[in-house]
Amino acid sequence: MGRGTLRIYLGAAPGVGKTYAMLGEGRRAAARGKDVAVGLVETHSRTRTAELLDGLDILPRKHLRHRGADFTELDVDAVIARKPKIALIDELAHTNVPGSRNAKRWQDIDEVLDAGIDVISTVNIQHLESLNDVVRQITGVPQRETVPDEVVRRADQIELVDMSPEALRRRMAHGNVYAPEDVDAALANYFRVGNLTALRELALLWVAGKVDEQLDRYRADHGISGTWEARERVVVALTGGAEGETLIRRAARIAARTKGADLMAVHVTRGDGLVGSADPAGLAKQRALVESLGGSYHQVVGDDVARALLDFAGGVNATQLVLGASRRGRLARLLSLGVGLTTTARSGSIDVHLVMHEAAHGAGRESTGRAALTRRRRLAGWAMALLGMPLLTAVLLPFDGGLTLTTHILLFFLMVVGVALVGGTWPALTAAVVGFGLLNWFFTPPLHTLTIHAPENLLALVIFVLVAAMVSTVVDLAARRTREAAGSGAAAEVLSTLAGQVLRGEPLLERLREIYGLASVTLLERTGDGWRIVSMAGGPPCTAPGTGDTDVVIDEDLVLAVRGRLLDAADRRVLEAFAAEAAVALRHERLRKEAEAARPLAEADRMRTALLAAVSHDLRTPLASAKAAVESLRSAEIDWSQEDRRELLATADESLVKLHRLVENLLDMSRLQAGVLGVALEHVAVEEAVSHATADVGDLVRVDLPADLPDIMADPVLLERVLVNLMGNGVRYSPVLVTASSYGSTVEIRIIDRGPGIPPEAQERVFLPFQRLGDRDNHTGVGLGLALSRGLTEAMGGTLVPEETPGGGLTMIVSLKAVA
């Protein structure tokens, strides 16, 4: 009997309807005549979920006792003995009570599957092991019950049960998920809109990845090599040449035309591991550009570049491939199609873009080759070719009568091979031509003439030249490959060492100086008309490009100048590659520091600008009212009644109170911005702080606090001001309810109103100083209340966040540390 199949309903959070969906599928399967049994389902007292159990065969649970309490778990033996076609088993990530046969429920389900029984189960995204840290970072809640990702990935079918955060919060507010007494705390903590949105994104991305795996497996199982355009994927081929940036930007524009398209860059290296014509510095810069555009960089190995590119593109299911037009000369194009045309001819359903650039068809092409042999060996080769061949002729002339032409040709051929071994291709080719002439003149009848009577002698001499040319080319190529291999190995070792220096935070320039035996290494940056030293090692430093022995130009503004010896091309390429990465790191660090330095300056500037704009109006209004009231009272022209006098005095008093509160808020906000606000933290009872605040606000505040709330660490005066500000803001629109709850080491005080609320996109904006959302009331202050409240709360080590009140309105949540 084969193993059963596993179907999993995956959700982003509790309450989205996983168990409901599982039971619905179970009922549909039973209606189709399949034998369905409920191994274990947790309804969590949800009526609509419990109703779906009616009519299904519910198997008994296994009863266990642990530390004096009774628990129930899945009875694996009962499920296997009952042997239904489909078993419904809830909560895949559940941890069993100690003393159970298995530690985890997914292990119980494995046994049921091994018995040939199909299983339908449920799990939330936060329980996946690989996402544990991510979920804790988002929600602040560690997940103790986890399931290995591989267990879920092995499932035969995964179905996402999706619900928008707003819909889930409405469901909770209606009491469809948790008990009414738990709803407020849940909505204010784990089930915040931001948390739910992030968890939903995690679930969608995880399922999308699973779908991609299933599609790749299906294509592999069915031998499908053609491209399926399920998602736009653009691959750009890079060589490290100057055209690379043009190709990357063109590919990025193509990818940007389709939402969600992937951009991938690939570089093909030779199978022998040699660098060849690739420019490491150029590749490093291009990799940084690709990643800055949101793409990914890949490197593959292959001797057939076109085939390697198409294999990579097919492997990632690419839809478009971007290549640069050929940089080869006309003769090379006549001899072979080249990578671009070959790739296009073999591409099949993949669209290939051949992009023109300045280096196309040989324009601007630079020679990347270098001599395979040292200068001394090349000189020795030329000497052997020009002097050795005549010397060999002089040695052989006395023996001319006893040697045949074939023997002479073999001896001359041996000399040509020797020249190739010592001096390379061109000296060997010269030796072959010289040898041809000497053999013809001195050893081929008729002698001392360039005429050759016997056709076979002519053929022998021609073959001699051709073979000598081919052998010399092979010898020179072997020498070139040997030297490139040695250079590549040395360059890789240097780059590995320098990369280790960067990761360990050790001085990079000093290490460069040691590796290459330099007197000094200086990183220079252009500043206006001159240059300044950014960093240096050794001494004396180079003060400008050209003052050292070698300059490595990183870009228009950065140059790495070295002193001590001239660097050859190989060393320059290694330095350029690393210098490009170092420049990117330098700029990122500077941008980070500039952003940090600019943030307080920008905030202070915004504060000053807003203050000047607001004070002119909001200070004038209460001053004008108070002044008018006092001037009226002082007037001798009108005989005011006692009631009128009381009304005028009340107006003046109210205006002066507003003015006093406004000045207090402005002073406190200034102290907050300057970091000089005095905060004296002490143990504060929440009930006492709320009671003092409600006394200042009035009868429109209802308080509902639990009796077992722990004390909090706060400044009682500042906390009272925060609560008064928040309550006063709420009662302008509706009566206010004040509740509180403890959650771990935090106590949350919630000020709930049923007013018009604030749009989600504007909730953070109301905490900016001098903001009055919508300017509904321009006579109640400069809009400092909420900004000051948040600042005071944060000064006490807490947080102040807004949330939408279920059913309409706004909830302000003050979170402060509980006293242990």
Side-chain angles (χ1 to χ4, degrees), residues 642-681:
Q642 289 298 320
E643 183 178 350
D644 291 336
R645 292 177 66 85
R646 283 195 298 271
E647 185 175 345
L648 288 171
L649 287 172
T651 299
D653 180 66
E654 181 182 350
S655 298
L656 291 174
V657 167
K658 287 181 179 180
L659 185 61
H660 178 264
R661 185 177 300 164
L662 172 61
V663 172
E664 263 193 340
N665 285 344
L666 287 170
L667 289 174
D668 283 343
M669 181 58 69
S670 298
R671 295 188 187 105
L672 277 173
Q673 294 293 328
V676 295
L677 180 69
V679 180
L681 298 180

Side-chain angles (χ1 to χ4, degrees), residues 347-423:
S347 62
S349 58
I350 301 176
D351 296 336
V352 178
H353 302 262
L354 286 177
V355 179
M356 293 298 298
H357 51 86
E358 292 182 357
H361 304 314
R365 185 174 69 254
E366 297 179 359
S367 174
T368 58
R370 64 180 182 180
L373 303 173
T374 63
R375 184 170 182 272
R376 175 179 293 183
R377 288 185 59 178
R378 293 198 305 274
L379 290 176
W382 283 111
M384 290 178 62
L386 299 176
L387 301 177
M389 300 302 282
L391 182 61
L392 177 62
T393 303
V395 171
L396 293 178
L397 281 175
F399 305 99
D400 184 36
L403 300 175
T404 64
L405 178 61
T406 302
T407 304
H408 289 111
I409 290 176
L410 290 175
L411 291 172
F412 272 76
F413 180 71
L414 182 61
M415 188 66 177
V416 171
V417 172
V419 173
L421 289 171
V422 174

Side-chain angles (χ1 to χ4, degrees), residues 232-237 251 262-266 290 295-298 312-313 316-318 320-321:
E232 198 75 32
R233 290 183 174 90
V234 181
V235 174
V236 54
D262 294 332
L263 172 64
M264 288 170 278
V266 60
V290 169
S296 58
Y297 178 85
H298 307 266
F312 174 82
V316 299
N317 201 23
Q320 303 193 57
L321 182 58

Side-chain angles (χ1 to χ4, degrees), residues 240-259:
E243 75 282 359
E245 294 188 4
T246 300
L247 301 182
I248 292 168
R249 291 190 173 94
R250 176 63 64 84
R253 290 196 297 271
I254 294 173
R257 295 170 188 164
T258 305
K259 187 175 179 61

